[in-house]
Structures are given as C-alpha cells and as structure tokens.
Amino acid sequence: MKLLRYGAKGAERPGLLDASGKIRDLSEHVTDIAADALMPDSLQRLAALDPQTLPLVDGVPQQDLRLGPCVGQVGKFLAIGLNYADHAAEAGMDLPSEPIIFTKWNSSIAGPDDDLTLPAGSAATDWEVELGIVIGAGGRDIPESEALDRVAGYCIVNDISERDWQLRRGGTWDKGKGYDGFGPIGPWLVTPDEVGDLAAMRLWLDLDGARQQDGTTATMVFGPAQLVAYCSRFTTLAPGDVITTGTPPGVGMGQKPPKYLRPGQTMRLGIDGLGVQTQYVIA
C-alpha cells in the first residue's frame, strides 16, 4: 500500500494511492495516518480493503491536489549522520564506528512539495535525499533480528540542513537541521511488502534540473534493521516515529566550490518505488 495524507496544511485527511494513481479517502476507516493506525493489525485491515470501494478524491496528487507529510502526529523525528561511506568520504570525515544520532524538531516536518523558506541570513542551506523509516509496532531494546517487523513503511525525506548553524556555530547538529520546513516527508508511506530490496534502492536529487545526488542504499554503513535496533536502545520507539537514515554523496557542502540553495531554485528528488518530491526555494 501507498498511504498518504492530502489537503490543506493542518487539515490533512488520510488516503491511499490506488493502482491508477488516484487518491482514495480512508476517513471512514482511520482518523489519520498516524499512531495506532500504523500498528500491524490496522495495516492488515487497510490492506484488505478494496480501493475501488473507497471514495474517490478529486484532483491529481502533487499537481492540483496538495499532499501533506505522509505521517501525522509524529512523536520523534530521529536522524542518522554520515551513514553512507561515499558521503563520509566526500565530507572528509571518518566512517562512524556506531550510528550518529541527532534530532530534527517536529516543526521542521513539511509536505513533500511545500515551498522551502530559507532562514533569515542563511548562506549555506543544503539538501540531502534520504530513506525514511516509519515505525509501526515500536518498543525499547528491539533485537536487530526483529527490527524490520516493527516498521510500518518507508518514505522519502529531504534532510535539509543549514551548514553554518550545523557545523560552525557551536553546539549540536540539531540547530542547523531543525528549521521550519527542513523535513519534507512523503509523498506517501510505502508498506514493506511493496518496497523490495532495502540494500539496492536508488536515491537521486536534481537542482534546477541538474543532477546533484545519485547513489544507492548499497553504500549505507548501517542498514535499516541496525538503525531501528540501535535507536531503540536510547528511546522507546512509538508508532509514527520517523528515522531518516543518511544521504549519499552530492550534497552542496561536498562540492568544489560548495554550492548552496538560493531563492528561485527548485529541488526535485526521489527514491525508487517511493515517489518524488519537489520543493521551490523562497527567501
């Protein structure tokens, strides 16, 4: 299934994408794509529905119909740094011996195609296409062998980052990662049965039509199962929590000279099987 949330900001409704690319409303079955709706028994009930019996939503998704973040009511938005070997090399940093965890504040969460407003005075806002993990049946101290069974699905995340505040202004990475709008999620949450090989997913990002990032999850240092298990050592993972798992090379910071976002530019990014996001940059 491809689960999603559609409609105006703050008033999104739950839906799914049918085989013809149209949205079907799920409001009679769940109140949101969030919390207990992401537990295994709920996902099984939704998967048993015939999409043709669900109300058809007017509009074309990502054209004349806005999609919101594909997960609502996110409790924790966790992120992993330097998790692709070729990205670490690009950044001139050693591979981590254990996952680097930071947080993106929930107020950073945005729809997949919402405009990105640059922070006041920003001169180093960067892009990072990433595979996002959405937790279903969470828990604490999850064994790695059980970790993927605790996942409700996967999605695209753009881990937008203001590099000056992340790396040069003291403190933790969170400051540069948590601005409003710095965490577009979606367009949809894809359940594990439709995702395929997690170690062979292609990720890419274009800026004004020019390819910047083009990598695969094959170069991940720590895979999804390792990350879910590791994060659960430090916090109880709950349904709807999101873990974004790192980015391949091609970020602006790693280019010579560095290249950062400017008003008027457009980012377009995608992951095989998970859809595409588009963000227009404004001052």
Side-chain angles (χ1 to χ4, degrees):
M1 286 185 298
K2 293 181 174 67
L3 300 173
L4 53 86
R5 301 168 70 247
Y6 69 93
K9 292 181 182 181
E12 292 92 348
R13 296 169 63 90
L16 63 77
L17 192 74
D18 70 16
S20 66
K22 298 178 180 178
I23 292 180
R24 300 284 176 163
D25 185 76
L26 284 173
S27 299
E28 293 183 5
H29 300 276
V30 292
T31 58
D32 200 356
I33 305 301
D36 289 346
L38 297 170
M39 293 289 283
D41 57 346
S42 175
L43 293 177
Q44 290 172 7
R45 286 195 297 271
L46 295 179
L49 298 172
D50 178 358
Q52 299 304 311
T53 66
L54 300 171
L56 183 64
V57 178
D58 291 334
V60 178
Q62 299 187 277
Q63 293 185 27
D64 58 357
L65 178 60
R66 175 185 178 269
L67 298 186
C70 61
V71 188
Q73 306 171 44
V74 176
K76 291 181 285 295
F77 192 5
L78 306 176
I80 308 299
L82 295 177
N83 194 37
Y84 282 68
D86 38 7
H87 172 55
E90 163 186 72
M93 299 180 182
D94 294 333
L95 289 181
S97 58
E98 297 192 29
I100 297 170
I101 301 175
F102 59 94
T103 59
K104 289 179 75 73
W105 298 314
N106 289 6
S107 53
S108 72
I109 293 173
D113 307 307
D114 291 347
D115 290 345
L116 170 68
T117 300
L118 293 176
S122 170
T125 298
D126 206 345
W127 54 83
E128 295 189 11
V129 57
E130 304 197 359
L131 172 66
I133 301 170
V134 180
I135 299 298
R140 181 76 184 270
D141 294 321
I142 299 170
E144 189 175 321
S145 61
E146 300 177 12
L148 295 185
D149 294 333
R150 311 295 183 97
V151 174
Y154 301 88
C155 64
I156 303 169
V157 177
N158 191 353
D159 176 20
I160 300 168
S161 310
E162 212 295 329
R163 300 301 189 188
D164 281 338
W165 284 104
Q166 178 194 356
L167 300 171
R168 305 182 185 99
R169 302 291 295 270
T172 64
W173 287 10
D174 303 37
K175 292 186 296 184
K177 298 281 193 171
Y179 283 100
D180 290 0
F182 271 33
I185 296 176
W188 26 77
L189 180 160
V190 182
T191 51
D193 58 297
E194 293 192 10
V195 168
D197 186 356
L198 291 171
M201 302 180 76
R202 179 167 167 261
L203 307 85
W204 56 270
L205 182 144
D206 294 345
L207 182 65
D208 289 340
R211 185 60 42 97
Q212 307 297 320
Q213 292 187 271
D214 195 350
T216 79
T217 52
T219 65
M220 271 188 169
V221 181
F222 306 103
Q226 292 172 289
L227 295 175
V228 171
Y230 191 82
C231 289
S232 76
R233 295 183 186 180
F234 311 106
T235 183
T236 300
L237 296 176
D241 286 349
V242 177
I243 303 171
T244 188
T245 60
T247 197
V251 300
M253 178 180 66
Q255 301 189 30
K256 295 181 175 52
K259 181 188 299 184
Y260 296 117
L261 294 169
R262 303 186 307 275
Q265 294 183 308
T266 299
M267 290 179 284
R268 183 172 171 83
L269 55 147
I271 301 178
D272 287 351
L274 301 186
V276 173
Q277 298 184 355
T278 303
Q279 292 111 31
Y280 180 72
V281 182
I282 60 178

